[in-house]
Structures are given as structure tokens and as C-alpha cells.
Amino acid sequence: MSAWRQRHRGGVALAFVAAVLGLFVVSIALPDNLKSAGFVTPGSQSDRSSTQLDKSFGYDPEPGMVVLARSTGAPYTAIAPRQTLALVAARIKRDPSVGLVQTPFGRDGAAVLVSKDKRSALILVHFKQVGEDASAPAINRIRAGLRAPPGLTLEVGGYDVGFLDDNRIV
């Protein structure tokens, strides 16, 4: 095998260069179909379904940001940490790019967003625009203005947030 590589090393190198150039040409030809997290086939059933859902809801059905709020005092069975969490959620909701904010409490609350020990709760943030690139400015604004009030610690995560953080690192 090594003798074969020795005889054909110029051809192998040329094939490698050709493959890289070919991929470069493909990347220039497909920018409208490439999205930050993969491909989309315009007009496909999944593309049409996703578009219909987005239009029906008026926001991305998947939360782009998740805020973990840990109570440093009383558990969320008490009213004070619930009120503090509601203030954080209201602050996030004021961003013009936010379509929906979900918490564990209130009329539309989802109890599954509270930990079993009742000391941690999630705030789910759905953006009006779909996709990591579209939500990036809102994520940056929210992060810049988000301060943990007394009685809570806050951590920000979620798919869109993680994608943006990974891109900053890379």
C-alpha cells in the first residue's frame, strides 16, 4: 500500500485540492439554502409546515432562550420568589423581538418548569423571528440587560444561545 501511495502521491494531492475547490464552489452556489443549523429544502412539506406554524403562532414554537432562575432564599412554593421571577419574565417580555415568555406560574403557567425541590425554575423565551441568526440581536440585548434580582441567581442557555456562544468560540 505504501508503494502505491508513493507512486500516486501527486494524483492524491491533486484530487484533494480539486475536492476542496469543488466544495468551495458549492458553498458559493447554495447560500440561500444554507441556514446556520443546516439545510432547508424550499417548498418541501417540512418547510411549508414550519412556515405555517410560525405564521399561526406569531413566534418561533421552539424557545430560543432558556433562563434558569434559582431561588437563594425561600422555595418557589412561597410568593416572594414567584413575584421576583415574574419581574424577570416581564423584563424579558418587553424586548420587541420576544413573542412569548413562559414561566411555571400564572394563568398559563407550566408546572413542569419548576424543579422537584422547588428551588429552580425555567423561563422559556420564544422569539418572533425563527432561527439563531434572527434571534442573535435580541439574545444580546436581553443578556446585556438581565440582572439577577435579590433572592435569585440567573443562568442563560438554550439552543439559539448555545449556537451563538459556539460560533463566538469558533
Side-chain angles (χ1 to χ4, degrees):
M1 186 68 159
S2 68
W4 183 87
R5 280 192 303 226
Q6 280 295 84
R7 286 192 313 262
H8 297 94
R9 70 178 169 216
V12 171
L14 191 59
F16 176 76
V17 170
V20 170
L21 288 174
L23 290 173
F24 177 73
V25 169
V26 168
S27 72
I28 291 172
L30 293 178
D32 292 339
N33 291 342
L34 282 175
K35 291 195 173 187
S36 37
F39 287 93
V40 67
T41 304
S44 67
Q45 184 177 3
S46 63
D47 181 46
R48 290 190 312 270
S49 298
S50 294
T51 301
Q52 183 63 38
L53 275 175
D54 300 340
K55 287 180 181 177
S56 297
F57 286 138
Y59 56 84
D60 188 347
E62 293 187 42
M65 177 184 272
V66 178
V67 179
L68 172 62
R70 289 191 176 106
S71 177
T72 58
Y76 281 108
T77 52
I79 193 72
R82 287 182 180 212
Q83 289 174 333
T84 306
L85 184 78
L87 292 173
V88 172
R91 187 176 317 140
I92 294 169
K93 177 72 174 148
R94 285 194 297 263
D95 188 281
S97 295
V98 172
L100 175 71
V101 174
Q102 293 177 286
T103 69
F105 311 111
R107 186 173 46 104
D108 297 323
V112 71
L113 299 177
V114 176
S115 65
K116 289 181 182 181
D117 70 357
K118 308 293 188 216
R119 295 202 170 270
S120 299
L122 296 177
I123 300 171
L124 305 182
V125 182
H126 299 260
F127 296 105
K128 292 178 183 176
Q129 297 288 320
V130 177
E132 305 79 28
D133 296 329
S135 62
I139 290 170
N140 292 332
R141 280 192 307 272
I142 292 168
R143 277 179 148 172
L146 199 58
R147 301 286 177 264
L152 293 184
T153 63
L154 303 175
E155 293 180 42
V156 178
Y159 183 81
D160 292 0
V161 172
F163 187 86
L164 295 171
D165 288 347
D166 288 347
N167 279 342
R168 284 188 191 113
I169 292 169
V170 174

